[in-house]
Amino acid sequence: MAKPRFVADGSRIVLIKEGDSDDLAAATGAFLIEVVRTRSEATGLPEDEDLAAFALLSDDQVAGAVARLLNAALMIGAEDLPSTSAAVEILLSQLLADVEKSDPGKMVEAAMHYVFKQEMWDLDVSREERADGIRFNVANAAGPDLPHAIFMSTRGKTPAFWVMEDTRIIQGTHAYKIPIQAATALKHEIASYAKVNDTGGMIKSAKGRAGG
């Protein structure tokens, strides 16, 4: 039996059966959620950093994020979605606590190596110690080193992870809280970069991956 999953349709979220086409005609039920937010007439963003980030999202982006969160809950158990949604929150809290207690630098390197291996990229990580944190550069044995990196800031109470291209932050104004988030974002940036830049032997591996 096909498993259900949530997909975003503009600012709405619908439940469909996995394996069917994403055509909304295949939906197993009515639209479950529609994102409707009251827009502030104020010209400035909220002073609270988290609320400001939320205000920058479109309704479509909010719907897409909610659909992903619901799918994460379904992976734990579809029988009781409210309880499994709470479990996702608990698991994330535990993971954040692990980042604080563990060596976050080692976790960043492990996350980067993991995504490189998954993509079959011949890339490595070089560690650059700085006064305010550690920069994890992308080393390319088969060609020029990539300008990408993850910078782990140690200024705050807990580590923060930024995806960089040269000296530029490339994922917006917010840091990631978990290394695998930053490593996944880094993967997408490298894939886009490899399409239009000479990366030596690494791009051959990327093409091979895309071709199956």
Side-chain angles (χ1 to χ4, degrees):
M1 182 177 178
K3 293 180 180 179
R5 65 189 177 94
F6 294 94
V7 296
D9 169 46
S11 62
R12 298 171 294 181
I13 300 164
V14 66
L15 185 65
I16 69 170
K17 286 185 178 180
E18 197 169 312
D20 292 339
S21 73
D22 281 357
D23 189 339
L24 295 182
T28 60
F31 287 111
L32 303 177
I33 300 173
E34 183 163 4
V35 177
V36 179
R37 292 181 296 165
T38 302
R39 300 289 183 179
S40 172
E41 297 299 324
T43 56
L45 292 171
E47 291 184 6
D48 184 279
E49 191 176 273
D50 294 326
L51 292 179
F54 183 76
L56 290 171
L57 296 176
S58 67
D59 290 348
D60 291 7
Q61 289 173 320
V62 173
V66 172
R68 287 178 178 273
L69 291 171
L70 288 170
N71 284 327
L74 283 178
M75 291 172 67
I76 297 176
E79 297 80 9
D80 186 355
L81 195 57
S83 295
T84 51
S85 298
V88 171
E89 185 175 15
I90 293 169
L91 287 171
L92 181 57
S93 298
Q94 291 173 341
L95 184 55
L96 287 170
D98 288 342
V99 171
E100 294 177 29
K101 292 184 294 184
S102 304
D103 182 340
K106 289 182 179 179
M107 295 180 72
V108 174
E109 289 193 60
M112 292 174 71
H113 281 124
Y114 173 79
V115 297
F116 295 163
K117 182 178 180 181
Q118 290 295 306
E119 295 300 310
M120 299 171 62
W121 288 340
D122 187 17
L123 299 175
D124 205 347
V125 182
S126 65
R127 185 168 171 150
E128 181 183 342
E129 303 282 346
R130 298 192 174 184
D132 55 349
I134 306 171
R135 182 182 173 100
F136 298 88
N137 298 300
V138 178
N140 182 11
D145 287 347
L146 275 63
H148 302 86
I150 293 177
F151 179 71
M152 185 183 80
S153 173
T154 55
R155 282 183 171 177
K157 294 181 180 179
T158 58
F161 309 98
W162 305 83
V163 177
M164 311 287 294
E165 182 175 352
D166 291 321
T167 59
R168 183 172 63 93
I169 297 171
I170 55 178
Q171 93 282 10
T173 59
H174 285 264
Y176 294 103
K177 296 182 179 180
I178 301 173
I180 192 63
Q181 288 178 303
T184 301
L186 178 71
K187 175 187 72 174
H188 294 306
E189 294 297 334
I190 291 175
S192 296
Y193 180 87
K195 290 178 181 177
V196 294
N197 293 275
D198 179 14
T199 56
M202 173 259 166
I203 197 168
K204 294 178 184 176
S205 184
K207 286 180 178 178
R209 179 72 169 178

